[in-house]
Amino acid sequence: MTDNTQHQQAATPELPTQYVPADVEGKLYERWVERGYFEADEHSEKPPYTIVIPPPNVTGSLHLGHAFEHTLIDALTRRKRMQGYETLWQPGMDHAGIATQNVVERELAKEGKSRHDLGREAFIERVWKWKNESGGQISGQMRRLGDGVAWSRERFTMDEGLSRAVQTVFKKMYEDELIYRAERIINWCPRCLTAISDIEVEYSDDDGELVSMTYGEGEESLVVATTRAETMLGDTAVAVHPDDERYRHLVGKRIKLPLTDRTIPVVADTHVDPEFGTGAVKVTPAHDPNDFEIGRRHDLPSLTVMDERAVITVPGPFEGLDRLEARSAIVAALRAEGRIVGEKRPYVHSVGHCSRCKTTVEPRLSMQWWVKVGPLAQAAGDAVRDGQVKIHPQEMEKRYFDWVDDLRDWCISRQLWWGHRIPIWYGPDGEIVCVGPDEEPPGGEGWHQETDVLDTWFSSGLWPFSTLGWPEQTDSLAKFYPNSVLVTGYDILFFWVARMMMFGLYAMDGTPPFHTIALHGMVRDQFGKKMSKSFGNAVNPLDWMDAYGSDALRFTLARGANPGVDVPIGEDWVQGSRNFANKIWNATRFALMNGATVEGELPAAEELSATDRWILSRLNTVVAEADAYYEDYQFAKVSDALFHFAWDEVFDWYVELSKTTFMGGGRPAEVSARVLGEVLDTTLRLLHPVMPFVTETLWTTLTGQESLVIADWPAMRGFRDKAAEAEIEQVQQVITEVRRFRSDQGLQPGQKVPARLTLEGTAFAPHEAAIRQLLRLTPEGDAFQATASLPVSGATVALDLSGTIDVEAERKRLTKDLQNAEKEKAAAEAKLGNEAFLAKAPDKVVDKIRGRLTKAEADIKRITAQLAGLPTG
């Protein structure tokens, strides 16, 4: 399979004796970039293939999750480029509002300063300075991995173009009444001092305490339980179920709230579960989302009792205490009044934490900006239901629908300085004006801009089209939108994917941002445990790339990538992939030393040996398998198929079977050299998307052509030869069985044994020399004694083992093994013949015994053959 770019290869192409990735990878990557292989031309007539990079945080560095995801995306785009598509892998980074601000604030803290000492404008200048000097180290690491991204198109979510897109879509949504301002319960981080969205809250089962306490006096009292006693200072009611007979006499009455001078009403609400606890719940509308809804239904006041740092603000003995200090103090005060009727500790319950700093989140009533997600989420769900967008694997659709079909309004304002400042201006008389990117903000005394910035996910939700120049109708937008596929982890299906779907459908006139969502799992350690610094099992992928090469890491990750399933990885697996790269290298060196070439057409079928026809037939099958697996995002299967074809069939069988042909010289050697060149050419093309560096080096040496990056993807030739496949399969069986017999007899791999080959029919005749060479079988001499005979697959191999083994000791050992196998068989048959056992035993147990029976029968057959093959004299 040759390209139009082919030119004459060097007469004697050479490769170093060893493959050293460090000597190859960096130089190769820079050459690819300099030659513009990864750039995309919006004016090309080629069909487009577009993938956006899930933008890593500007504060981040390459971790195994990045390496895994980037490997898959790079494999897809490299293959499509070879198939003739105009490919765009769009790179860029996210400004990561909270994370970046935290980094710079920590730097300021070392200088004894805070952002407030600098002021907003100076602080933002400081963040930009940090971004330009220290941010984005991940870009260099992406180059180490071999990411084929269009670097000239790199974007940043705070660059001028993307800022324009943010302002444009904000104004449009504001005018369409999809963005509004309201006071509601939000998730508040007392450390980051900002609101965070529901999906930025991580829940864990934590040890706490459940305190039961009495509200009211005498017959007009009831018991409530809470894990957050400090919030009782903000209670404005107690709620019971309307059908609960125990409290019907209290509904509508007011009871005393302990530790305060207030009374609060008892209200009836169907939200209350009468079967849970005492059936009575305290209602704190300003500090609990469920209580907030109860408060709205019953027109209850909302009392905020904590400030932004979760410090109690209610005048009295608890004022100024941190929420945890207040919790202990309030329980102590209630105990002193005799109001504590039960304490359970530890009490394990689900607690929300800030995903950035792990601080316990505080529900808090706050005036914020919101997106009305109802109509947007409906459109995002319908796009998948009606087939516009496909989720792969399909079973992940349910998780997607569970989320978008029950999506609550999205709090998009953040109390930060770093980010897209909300384009709202407030006037002196309560005016509110939304300002677009080409509009002048209102001036005059008393006008000021909203101080909050937008949630980072707001700008990254526009990524598939804002990176292409929207809101301008650019040629890039026309060519590359919508994206072909989104490759991302199922863990951000809700964070990022749903938001891109909502924004894309809204801003791009109902056109979804991508055709397919291909979801992958999380990278875990070799025992399936989540990787974490705290667990001591986190791995820096750069360390493995330094030790084994980028190709080895990439191939290991791809070989574990089953759609939507987590990926275990261990260092020994990367070592195994390094060995595979070395195997490819050494086999190609052997091929070049024996004249392997891609020059000229393949020889006619009548010139091809059965071995040649077999490998070409298998090659055609593997090309078809690779195409099918790639189209189905089955990275593990395509990697596994190529691994076994290259290592087992090409290197271990075809190369070995062809050695006698090469040694014989003449036309047969020329034919096999051309076939071997063809097979290596195609195999290296197939492997290139996942292992770009080693394949590029070998392929350019083999073919003399410019680069695999721009070479053609292999096409099926339609060449299939079932007869040749069957013939070589028989040869393989003969070699495999005799090798097994030699091993069973304790013969060393290199030990030569005299043998007589009786080959039935003509199929084996051309292979005798290869069989003898691979099995270390010498011709029979005058003193030859057929002391062992093996009938295998249409052939009989008689061996002279005299003097090589202790026949009697071997017969004794094999006889004992045979007895044990027969005993195992009898025991398994007895159990499987017992109807009572079969009726009661679990299926797994029965299957295990059937497996034992199958193995015992195979052992009996094997040992019997070995005994029959022992010398008798």
Side-chain angles (χ1 to χ4, degrees):
M1 300 175 187
T2 58
D3 297 327
N4 294 329
T5 57
Q6 178 177 332
H7 56 76
Q8 290 293 318
Q9 68 182 76
T12 314
E14 294 182 358
L15 287 168
T17 55
Q18 288 185 322
Y19 176 53
V20 182
D23 294 344
V24 170
E25 294 176 351
K27 296 175 185 175
L28 263 188
Y29 188 84
E30 290 310 312
R31 185 188 310 159
W32 291 335
V33 173
E34 288 169 5
R35 293 180 177 179
Y37 292 156
F38 304 140
E39 295 303 323
D41 181 4
E42 60 265 36
H43 303 297
S44 167
E45 294 184 0
K46 296 178 182 178
Y49 187 80
T50 317
I51 295 181
V52 295
I53 188 173
N57 287 352
V58 67
T59 58
S61 60
L62 191 76
H63 56 65
L64 268 180
H66 288 127
F68 172 56
E69 186 168 78
H70 290 201
T71 294
L72 305 187
I73 298 175
D74 197 39
L76 290 174
T77 52
R78 283 179 182 269
R79 173 174 174 261
K80 286 295 182 181
R81 187 180 295 113
M82 295 173 75
Q83 287 183 311
Y85 287 79
E86 191 63 34
T87 59
L88 169 60
W89 182 8
Q90 173 68 54
M93 286 183 292
D94 191 281
H95 65 278
I98 296 176
T100 306
Q101 180 158 316
N102 284 346
V103 167
V104 178
E105 286 196 87
R106 282 196 294 269
E107 284 192 352
L108 286 174
K110 294 175 185 176
E111 303 170 13
K113 298 178 181 177
S114 73
R115 61 180 162 124
H116 299 286
D117 294 324
L118 271 67
R120 184 166 191 143
E121 289 188 12
F123 176 77
I124 291 174
E125 287 180 8
R126 178 73 176 256
V127 180
W128 275 110
K129 182 174 184 290
W130 176 88
K131 185 264 180 186
N132 294 329
E133 293 177 355
S134 306
Q137 62 173 313
I138 199 170
S139 295
Q141 296 165 343
M142 287 166 60
R143 293 170 183 263
R144 281 287 314 277
L145 190 64
D147 286 4
V149 300
W151 286 113
S152 69
R153 292 172 175 263
E154 187 174 11
R155 303 302 299 270
F156 181 55
T157 51
M158 286 278 287
D159 69 29
E160 183 178 351
L162 268 66
S163 295
R164 180 179 177 83
V166 167
Q167 292 178 26
T168 300
V169 82
F170 185 98
K171 182 174 176 65
K172 177 176 169 58
M173 293 178 73
Y174 179 78
E175 292 177 345
D176 288 344
E177 298 183 349
L178 291 172
I179 286 180
Y180 63 94
R181 188 169 183 246
E183 187 176 45
R184 292 194 178 173
I185 288 284
I186 46 90
N187 304 295
W188 181 265
C189 177
R191 183 199 169 282
C192 297
L193 300 180
T194 182
I196 58 177
S197 63
D198 291 344
I199 54 178
E200 292 171 300
V201 178
E202 295 177 347
Y203 288 90
S204 61
D205 290 334
D206 295 357
D207 286 345
E209 62 177 351
L210 182 67
V211 178
S212 299
M213 49 197 178
T214 303
Y215 281 18
E217 305 290 347
E219 292 185 0
E220 294 188 352
S221 67
L222 36 67
V223 174
V224 298
T226 183
T227 58
R228 302 169 66 224
E230 69 278 10
T231 63
M232 68 155 293
L233 298 176
D235 287 357
T236 56
V238 172
V240 298
H241 194 277
D243 298 332
D244 195 332
E245 293 291 342
R246 294 170 295 178
Y247 305 117
R248 182 163 291 176
H249 67 291
L250 290 176
V251 174
K253 294 185 177 180
R254 301 184 71 86
I255 59 175
K256 186 176 189 312
L257 179 66
L259 307 183
T260 73
D261 58 1
R262 294 191 291 117
T263 62
I264 56 176
V266 177
V267 300
D269 196 284
T270 55
H271 171 77
V272 179
D273 181 2
E275 303 298 324
F276 182 77
T278 63
V281 296
K282 58 190 288 299
V283 181
T284 320
H287 292 278
D288 182 276
N290 293 322
D291 293 3
F292 177 75
E293 296 300 327
I294 293 175
R296 290 176 66 177
R297 287 194 290 271
H298 297 276
D299 198 24
L300 300 173
S302 296
L303 303 180
T304 299
V305 299
M306 283 179 260
D307 67 11
E308 61 183 9
R309 298 184 184 276
V311 172
I312 301 299
T313 57
V314 177
F318 310 112
E319 186 176 9
L321 295 180
D322 171 81
R323 56 182 166 171
L324 298 182
E325 297 172 331
R327 184 176 300 171
S328 299
I330 287 172
V331 170
L334 289 167
R335 189 181 296 113
E337 288 191 4
R339 290 186 174 273
I340 299 297
V341 297
E343 296 178 73
K344 183 178 181 180
R345 62 170 70 89
Y347 179 74
V348 179
H349 62 128
S350 181
V351 178
H353 301 269
C354 172
S355 62
R356 297 293 191 281
C357 69
K358 311 309 176 186
T359 301
T360 299
V361 167
E362 188 65 40
R364 187 167 187 253
L365 185 64
S366 179
M367 182 67 77
Q368 301 285 344
W369 285 92
W370 303 80
V371 168
K372 182 181 179 182
V373 300
L376 303 174
Q378 176 71 41
D382 290 345
V384 174
R385 288 188 176 92
D386 64 20
Q388 286 188 78
V389 178
K390 297 187 182 302
I391 293 180
H392 191 280
Q394 191 174 2
E395 52 266 27
M396 286 286 179
E397 282 187 2
K398 183 179 184 303
R399 296 182 65 175
Y400 177 79
F401 292 137
D402 286 347
W403 180 258
V404 298
D405 291 348
D406 193 31
L407 202 55
R408 295 192 298 182
D409 283 3
W410 172 21
C411 177
I412 56 172
S413 44
R414 298 291 180 269
Q415 289 64 56
L416 304 170
W417 287 356
W418 173 246
H420 294 281
R421 193 167 177 179
I422 292 176
I424 290 289
W425 291 73
Y426 302 106
D429 298 318
E431 302 97 331
I432 298 179
V433 176
C434 183
V435 179
D438 297 319
E439 300 171 350
E440 288 293 326
E445 186 177 350
W447 283 93
H448 64 281
Q449 188 179 356
E450 170 66 68
T451 57
D452 289 353
V453 300
L454 288 165
D455 178 10
T456 300
W457 296 104
F458 192 97
S459 52
S460 60
L462 313 180
W463 191 250
F465 53 92
S466 63
T467 52
L468 297 173
W470 189 91
E472 306 304 323
Q473 297 305 306
T474 65
D475 291 340
S476 288
L477 189 66
K479 177 74 173 180
F480 296 114
Y481 188 90
N483 292 186
S484 305
V485 61
L486 173 73
V487 179
T488 192
Y490 64 70
D491 56 316
I492 58 172
L493 181 63
F494 317 130
F495 281 88
W496 190 44
V497 180
R499 278 150 175 65
M500 285 191 291
M501 286 286 284
M502 291 190 295
F503 279 134
L505 290 161
Y506 172 74
M508 299 301 292
D509 299 321
T511 303
F514 20 72
H515 298 301
T516 301
I517 302 168
L519 298 172
H520 59 72
M522 309 281 286
V523 177
R524 298 182 178 272
D525 70 13
Q526 59 188 330
F527 306 108
K529 190 174 182 180
K530 180 180 178 180
M531 285 193 174
S532 166
K533 290 181 181 178
S534 61
F535 294 154
N537 63 350
V539 173
N540 183 346
L542 295 175
D543 293 341
W544 282 354
M545 286 192 279
D546 289 340
Y548 308 112
S550 298
D551 285 330
L553 176 63
R554 288 170 61 117
F555 189 75
T556 304
L557 291 166
R559 202 173 178 192
N562 291 297
V565 178
D566 288 346
V567 183
I569 185 172
E571 186 169 5
D572 55 338
W573 302 346
V574 187
Q575 290 175 353
S577 295
R578 185 270 315 273
N579 295 342
F580 180 46
N582 289 341
K583 184 80 169 180
I584 302 169
W585 185 271
N586 293 332
T588 305
R589 284 191 72 247
F590 167 85
L592 292 171
M593 290 166 58
N594 284 276
T597 179
V598 297
E599 295 293 329
E601 294 298 320
L602 276 173
E606 56 268 20
E607 284 196 280
L608 300 175
S609 68
T611 307
D612 294 333
R613 296 196 308 275
W614 161 73
I615 198 62
L616 290 173
S617 182
R618 289 292 306 127
L619 179 67
N620 197 64
T621 299
V622 168
V623 170
E625 289 176 349
D627 280 330
Y629 290 145
Y630 264 121
E631 292 302 316
D632 199 35
Y633 307 100
Q634 297 280 358
F635 299 98
K637 289 183 178 180
V638 71
S639 301
D640 210 48
L642 295 177
F643 172 85
H644 287 294
F645 174 72
W647 191 308
D648 299 345
E649 298 187 86
V650 179
F651 307 147
D652 279 358
W653 282 112
Y654 181 74
V655 168
E656 294 298 322
L657 288 171
S658 300
K659 281 182 177 178
T660 54
T661 304
F662 289 129
M663 287 188 293
R667 181 57 182 167
E670 292 178 1
V671 170
S672 289
R674 178 65 186 89
V675 170
L676 182 53
E678 181 80 5
V679 171
L680 284 176
D681 174 13
T682 302
T683 303
L684 292 171
R685 293 178 197 243
L686 292 172
L687 284 167
H688 176 73
V690 176
M691 305 180 76
F693 294 108
V694 67
T695 54
E696 172 84 338
T697 306
L698 295 174
W699 187 84
T700 52
T701 304
L702 171 70
T703 67
Q705 296 176 38
E706 181 181 344
S707 175
L708 250 182
V709 180
I710 55 172
D712 291 338
W713 181 253
M716 289 178 59
R717 285 181 173 267
F719 184 94
R720 294 299 301 274
D721 193 325
K722 291 291 188 181
E725 290 189 31
E727 182 174 329
I728 300 304
E729 185 178 340
Q730 284 186 302
V731 173
Q732 291 172 329
Q733 288 175 359
V734 171
I735 294 171
T736 301
E737 287 301 317
V738 176
R739 279 177 173 167
R740 182 180 293 120
F741 179 80
R742 286 178 57 111
S743 176
D744 290 339
Q745 304 307 320
L747 298 176
Q748 295 300 313
Q751 186 173 352
K752 295 183 178 181
V753 178
R756 177 189 300 138
L757 272 63
T758 304
L759 306 173
E760 300 175 11
T762 59
F764 285 109
H767 307 292
E768 180 170 353
I771 291 172
R772 283 187 177 277
Q773 180 177 330
L774 292 174
L775 292 174
R776 304 293 189 270
L777 302 179
T778 60
E780 54 188 294
D782 294 338
F784 179 80
Q785 293 180 332
T787 58
S789 182
L790 295 176
V792 184
S793 189
T796 301
V797 181
L799 304 171
D800 183 354
L801 301 178
S802 57
T804 61
I805 61 172
D806 184 336
V807 176
E808 289 308 314
E810 185 65 13
R811 181 175 283 112
K812 186 176 181 180
R813 183 185 69 82
L814 289 173
T815 301
K816 184 177 180 181
D817 288 348
L818 180 61
Q819 291 171 348
N820 289 336
E822 288 173 338
K823 186 183 295 183
E824 177 73 5
K825 177 188 176 186
E829 287 177 334
K831 284 193 174 182
L832 293 173
N834 185 334
E835 294 296 336
F837 169 78
L838 294 176
K840 295 180 181 179
D843 291 343
K844 288 185 178 180
V845 173
V846 175
D847 289 342
K848 186 176 180 180
I849 293 172
R850 287 193 178 117
R852 285 166 51 187
L853 176 60
T854 300
K855 181 180 183 302
E857 290 174 340
D859 288 344
I860 291 170
K861 182 178 180 181
R862 174 179 55 81
I863 298 168
T864 301
Q866 289 175 242
L867 282 168
L870 287 175
T872 57

